[in-house]
Amino acid sequence: MTEPAVTGLTDEQAAAIRSRVGFNAVRSHRARPLAVLARQLRSPLLILLLAAATVSFFVGERTDAVVIGVIVALSVGLGFANEYRAERAVEALHEHMRSRARVLRGGTLVERDVTDLVPGDVVQLKLGTVVPADIELTEARDIECDESVLTGESLPVRRKAGDTALMGTVVTAGTATGTVSRTGARTAFGAIAAGLGERHAETAFQIGLRRFSGLLVWVAAALTAGVFVTNLVLGRPLLDAMLFSLAIAVGVTPQLLPAVVTTGLATGSRRLTRLKVLVKRLVAIEDLGDVEVLFTDKTGTLTQAKIALRQALRPDGTPDRGDTVGPFRLGVLCADPPGSGPLDDALHDALHGTDAVAGEWTPEGYRQLDAKPFDHERRMASVLVEDPAGDTLIIAKGAPEAVLARCRTVPEESRALAERLFTEGARLVAVAVRPGARELVESDLDLAGFLVFSDPPKPGVEQALQRLAALGVTVKILTGDHPAVATGLCEKIGLPVSGVLTGEEIERLDDAALADALPATTVFARVSPEQKARIVSIQRSGGLDVAYLGDGVNDALALHRADVGISVDTGADVARDAADVVLLEKDLGVLADGIVEGRRIFANTIKYLLMGTASNVGNMFSAAAASAVLPFLPMLPSQVLLNNLLYDASQLAIPADAVDREQLARPARFDLGLIRRFMLVFGPLSSVFDLAMFALLLRVFHTEAPLFRASWFVESLATQTLVIFIVRTRRTPFWRSRPAAALAIAVGSVVAAGLALPYVPFAPDLGLAPIPPAILGTIAVVLIVYLALVEAVKRRFRAVPAPRERHLPPHRRVHRRSTPFSRRLRPARKNRAPARSVRSASA
């Protein structure tokens, strides 16, 4: 494209304008401490507790009020610290995710961050670019923009000089130059995105967490109402009954669930960044761990993306040395400037190579009169040029099928030559010419020959494929190349090919027939962008979690449709913006690391949920039952809250815990049914031991209220924290799985702190009394028997297969839906088809 005559702004001029109008950003991604704190205080239970503590203070129960206030403050502080840290992780993540624009500054074409653009900047647009601001076009060449992000219309819109290319739209064809007129929130896209904020549709994981929280809230509500009514019937003071009931509710509800989840996801995002994997939304980490089928492109993922021109051949198969007007010279004349694409770059490299071209020919003296850039519908590019003698000719190059279809005649030996080269696994481009043309019409061409390129397999790709297979991930190839090229590569890298479908064959299949063909197909060749997206959608509708890895403009639709869209930081703007995950290195081994990390985070989150159901619910049910039969409260409200605070503190180390190898070998699903069954089995089991402890304290040791409370405080804290070592693994016996040192230290420290509390000088203020050795020994025996029985029940519980929700009717399954806007300059979010069922989670 001809360089614009204008020079654009200088960096100094742009900085001065930016100081007045601000950065070209829809919204800030900075972590906001007050917003995080407000989320911690959103719990109605916490608000009621603070209100009750205030009432207690003014009616004379000042010690209890202060203790409750301190405990609530510490609980809120823990949640705030961890969630704010997660927000900072997201902020750091967005710092990595920078989009660039080609802008003219001081007469030089440079790349700048899109946030640096200001009104008056001169910007170049090309195929695959996400328009970075509202741009008035001064020069346009066959440019079309996908404006569905703003209008909802699926067909691209052609733009001409004088029109405005709107921020957030995507260039689907052609090139253009224009001047920035509006930036940031002043654009139409900016106004919409700013109004939407950061809202996202819930993933299946988030839906599962919300439903789990709702389940425990119902349990808490039932216990709270029952305890409150019972205590009033027993004639206990109204304030004491209310405080104890609220404390029970707080003990049951998963107050730190958001903190544990965000801590796990933030920890995972930092680990993934070190592994060269950037996750644009934290919850996408869990999605990454769910992947069962991976569709990937070929170039750069399975190959080295070091494409080189191997040879140029005339139609009869004889070599073209570049000394006459043959396919090599014509290919160079039809090539885009260096940096436009790997095939054209390979031609330029060959042109400037030491032995690539005889005669020292250069394209100087040739003048380009017109051009039609490559697009994925025509699968070819063409130019109209004038040679130094003043003669004109059309040159076309592209996929052999597309070019040969526009030739007047094609010798059979040329078709046989192309088939032989494809069978050998070569990457082939056909070149055709039409001398004497005055207009650029892609018909009645004469075949000039073939350009043969090579792209060797990437080192280590065979091992990466074996690792993905071991993780239960099936790899399939979606490519625009000839099927023989793709299958030849698969043979070299050890990827078994069960079947091949071409774009033409796919076009003849309806959705049902294509769905039947997918399981037996490994390679999809000569497919269009729309066909890629259709394949991904139909695969997902079969109930499998699908990832798509691609970095080109033709991959954007498929990236939108996949459960997890994966691109690379060197990919096209539209591909990176459509993706959920961005790899800093286009390598399947890096992707495997990301999948393992997603599964590890999910497994640790499930540990916390199972802990809450195995012990918390049981202990709080025990307290509620005891309050109905004891002449005093089994624990004071402040003791219940303190016990809960210490327990939660121990659980904050769970996100850093190790996960057994077998739990990482297969995808796991959030299964509320499993958690509910776990609660119904292990909750009552915990309560049985609590009630046995009550009986021993009352009938054998004849304890008074302070000693009873201290003894049960220690016993309940020990049982509900130490059980993590059993719940955290599926292995039996549990000591075959080693926990992380951080978790062991956290749990040990909390149990030690709980054991020490009855002996500290301020114990009487907490309503605790020193525990005699005989009772401590009894607590130890009860604890050992409890843990042994939990281990035995766990073995039997795991031996019973959980019902799979996959067999539920579609209306009862959890589906993912579209996300409208997720970040600055992102195109319309993927419309997720009815996706997958929710299957059993592993603990």
Side-chain angles (χ1 to χ4, degrees):
M1 188 172 69
T2 305
E3 292 289 332
V6 295
T7 60
L9 303 173
T10 64
D11 284 335
E12 292 76 15
Q13 290 172 328
I17 297 172
R18 195 180 308 113
S19 65
R20 297 196 308 271
V21 302
F23 285 92
N24 180 35
V26 174
R27 66 179 74 89
S28 171
H29 292 286
R30 295 192 178 280
R32 297 178 293 276
L34 292 179
V36 176
L37 181 60
R39 286 198 293 271
Q40 305 307 310
L41 297 173
R42 196 177 294 165
S43 168
L45 292 173
L46 287 179
I47 295 172
L48 284 174
L49 273 174
L50 289 174
T54 303
V55 173
S56 298
F57 183 84
F58 286 107
V59 299
E61 301 291 339
R62 297 192 175 184
T63 301
D64 284 349
V66 171
V67 170
I68 292 172
V70 169
I71 291 171
V72 170
L74 288 173
S75 179
V76 170
L78 280 174
F80 169 81
N82 283 277
E83 193 166 343
Y84 182 64
R85 187 182 183 190
E87 289 250 345
R88 294 294 300 272
V90 174
E91 181 181 334
L93 199 62
H94 281 286
E95 288 300 315
H96 283 90
M97 296 300 305
R98 293 289 192 176
S99 296
R100 312 286 287 180
R102 292 164 62 87
V103 57
L104 203 61
R105 287 281 171 87
T108 303
L109 191 63
V110 296
E111 285 196 347
R112 289 286 187 267
D113 193 297
V114 294
T115 60
D116 291 335
L117 296 183
V118 297
D121 268 327
V122 177
V123 176
Q124 283 194 355
L125 303 176
K126 62 178 182 178
L127 179 68
T129 301
V130 178
V131 180
D134 284 358
I135 298 175
E136 293 183 1
L137 302 181
T138 55
E139 178 183 347
R141 178 170 294 176
D142 298 324
I143 187 169
E144 294 181 357
C145 294
D146 177 358
E147 298 184 352
S148 59
V149 67
L150 297 174
T151 65
E153 294 293 333
S154 58
L155 295 178
V157 178
R158 179 173 290 272
R159 293 296 180 190
K160 61 183 184 298
D163 291 345
T164 298
L166 300 174
M167 180 182 187
T169 62
V170 180
V171 179
T172 57
T175 58
T177 301
T179 303
V180 174
S181 58
R182 289 181 296 274
T183 59
R186 288 172 293 277
T187 65
F189 177 87
I192 296 172
L196 287 171
E198 290 288 348
R199 294 192 300 271
H200 300 278
E202 290 181 310
T203 67
F205 181 60
Q206 291 173 304
I207 292 171
L209 290 179
R210 176 168 53 77
R211 290 180 176 175
F212 167 77
S213 299
L215 171 66
L216 288 192
V217 166
W218 277 107
V219 173
L223 284 176
T224 301
V227 169
F228 183 68
V229 172
T230 300
N231 278 269
L232 287 182
V233 171
L234 292 175
R236 291 178 181 145
L238 174 64
L239 185 59
D240 288 349
M242 182 176 67
L243 284 173
F244 183 71
S245 301
L246 290 175
I248 290 290
V250 171
V252 174
T253 51
Q255 294 174 73
L256 287 191
L257 178 59
V260 169
V261 172
T262 52
T263 298
L265 294 176
T267 301
S269 72
R270 290 191 293 271
R271 292 175 58 152
L272 285 172
T273 300
R274 291 194 293 270
L275 295 171
K276 300 182 180 180
V277 180
L278 295 180
V279 183
K280 293 163 65 176
R281 286 198 300 146
L282 290 181
V283 293
I285 296 176
E286 187 272 337
D287 296 338
L288 190 59
D290 285 350
V291 170
E292 294 165 290
V293 177
L294 170 65
F295 289 104
T296 177
D297 60 356
K298 179 173 64 68
T299 304
T301 306
L302 305 177
T303 66
Q304 296 182 28
K306 294 181 179 177
I307 296 177
L309 180 66
R310 195 170 79 194
Q311 57 184 352
L313 300 175
R314 297 185 181 279
D316 60 0
T318 57
D320 170 29
R321 300 296 181 185
D323 49 351
T324 58
V325 181
F328 175 75
R329 288 193 182 187
L330 295 173
V332 171
L333 290 171
C334 191
D336 288 332
S340 301
L343 293 176
D344 288 339
D345 288 349
L347 283 172
H348 289 293
D349 291 341
L351 176 65
H352 299 292
T354 55
D355 59 350
V357 182
E360 299 182 354
W361 174 83
T362 68
E364 295 179 3
Y366 287 82
R367 188 164 65 96
Q368 187 179 114
L369 304 177
D370 198 1
K372 288 185 177 180
F374 179 89
D375 66 55
H376 301 287
E377 296 297 326
R378 293 164 40 251
R379 302 184 59 80
M380 61 186 294
S382 59
V383 293
L384 175 64
V385 298
E386 182 182 80
D387 66 14
D391 297 326
T392 60
L393 67 160
I394 294 172
I395 306 171
K397 67 176 178 65
E401 304 96 306
V403 174
L404 296 184
R406 289 170 171 79
C407 291
R408 289 181 292 183
T409 58
V410 179
E412 284 302 318
E413 61 179 340
S414 298
R415 296 186 185 275
L417 172 64
E419 288 299 323
R420 178 176 63 80
L421 291 169
F422 278 134
T423 303
E424 294 174 357
R427 190 164 185 177
L428 204 60
V429 170
V431 181
V433 66
R434 179 180 169 185
R438 295 300 175 183
E439 294 182 359
L440 184 50
V441 180
E442 296 172 327
S443 61
D444 295 328
L445 303 174
D446 297 318
L447 181 65
F450 301 99
L451 302 172
V452 186
F453 298 87
S454 63
D455 185 12
K458 181 176 289 187
V461 68
E462 187 172 355
Q463 292 76 12
L465 288 170
Q466 292 172 354
R467 187 179 175 198
L468 287 170
L471 291 170
V473 179
T474 301
V475 177
K476 298 176 183 285
I477 297 176
L478 289 176
T479 180
D481 273 350
H482 193 278
V485 176
T487 54
L489 174 66
C490 290
E491 291 178 3
K492 293 178 182 177
I493 62 178
L495 179 63
V497 177
S498 57
V500 179
L501 277 177
T502 64
E504 289 184 2
E505 294 169 332
I506 292 170
E507 200 64 32
R508 293 194 293 267
L509 299 176
D510 60 21
D511 287 354
L514 182 56
D516 291 339
L518 288 181
T521 307
T522 304
V523 173
F524 302 86
R526 291 302 195 208
V527 288
S528 68
E530 291 77 13
Q531 289 172 334
K532 291 181 180 182
R534 183 184 171 210
I535 292 167
V536 169
S537 295
I538 292 175
Q539 182 72 83
R540 289 182 63 242
S541 67
L544 295 176
D545 278 79
V546 177
Y548 183 84
L549 172 59
D551 62 356
V553 179
N554 61 328
D555 297 311
L557 284 175
L559 287 166
H560 274 287
R561 298 285 177 83
D563 287 291
V564 185
I566 306 167
S567 189
V568 293
D569 64 338
T570 56
D573 287 352
V574 64
R576 286 188 294 113
D577 288 338
D580 302 294
V581 176
V582 176
L583 305 182
L584 299 181
E585 181 178 331
K586 194 174 184 181
D587 188 285
L588 290 180
V590 172
L591 179 58
D593 291 336
I595 290 173
V596 169
E597 184 63 24
R599 294 180 184 178
R600 189 191 68 80
I601 291 170
F602 178 79
N604 282 335
T605 303
I606 293 298
K607 290 176 189 177
Y608 176 78
L609 302 185
L610 295 180
M611 281 292 293
T613 58
S615 295
N616 254 19
V617 172
N619 281 343
M620 295 305 104
F621 181 79
S622 300
S627 68
V629 298
L630 292 176
F632 50 81
L633 290 176
M635 272 195 202
L636 296 175
S638 58
Q639 293 168 349
V640 175
L641 294 174
L642 181 58
N643 185 292
N644 190 56
L645 175 67
L646 290 172
Y647 164 78
D648 280 337
S650 71
Q651 304 307 290
L652 287 175
I654 287 180
D657 189 26
V659 176
D660 297 335
R661 183 176 58 254
E662 58 269 23
Q663 289 181 251
L664 302 176
R666 290 292 182 271
R669 301 293 180 271
F670 194 102
D671 185 357
L672 186 61
L674 178 138
I675 297 173
R676 188 184 297 113
R677 292 191 304 274
F678 206 88
M679 179 175 67
L680 294 176
V681 171
F682 291 93
L685 180 63
S686 174
S687 293
V688 166
F689 278 84
D690 287 335
L691 295 175
M693 190 68 201
F694 294 166
L696 290 172
L697 291 173
L698 291 174
R699 301 294 179 84
V700 177
F701 297 105
H702 306 288
T703 57
E704 298 295 331
L707 180 55
F708 179 96
R709 290 165 178 160
S711 301
W712 189 50
F713 182 92
V714 172
E715 185 265 346
S716 66
L717 183 63
T719 55
Q720 69 177 337
T721 52
L722 291 176
V723 78
I724 181 61
F725 297 117
I726 299 174
V727 172
R728 62 171 295 277
T729 178
R730 304 174 76 175
R731 294 178 181 177
T732 55
F734 68 88
W735 54 79
R736 292 179 54 236
S737 174
R738 298 183 60 180
L743 180 62
I745 292 171
V747 172
S749 300
V750 164
V751 173
L755 185 60
L757 276 176
Y759 305 97
V760 297
F762 54 86
D765 294 330
L766 297 175
L768 302 175
I771 305 172
I775 295 181
L776 286 176
T778 302
I779 292 174
V781 171
V782 169
L783 177 61
I784 292 171
V785 175
Y786 169 69
L787 295 178
L789 188 56
V790 169
E791 173 70 15
V793 174
K794 182 191 78 172
R795 181 179 304 184
R796 183 173 179 81
F797 183 86
R798 288 296 180 188
V800 178
R804 297 169 69 86
E805 196 183 355
R806 174 166 292 182
H807 302 297
L808 294 178
H811 71 276
R812 292 188 58 194
R813 298 179 185 174
V814 175
H815 302 307
R816 301 185 182 189
R817 291 176 294 179
S818 62
T819 302
F821 293 93
S822 66
R823 63 186 291 265
R824 168 179 53 85
L825 293 185
R826 182 170 183 159
R829 183 65 177 163
K830 59 197 80 173
N831 293 317
R832 298 192 183 272
R836 55 174 170 89
S837 56
V838 180
R839 299 189 298 175
S840 300
S842 61

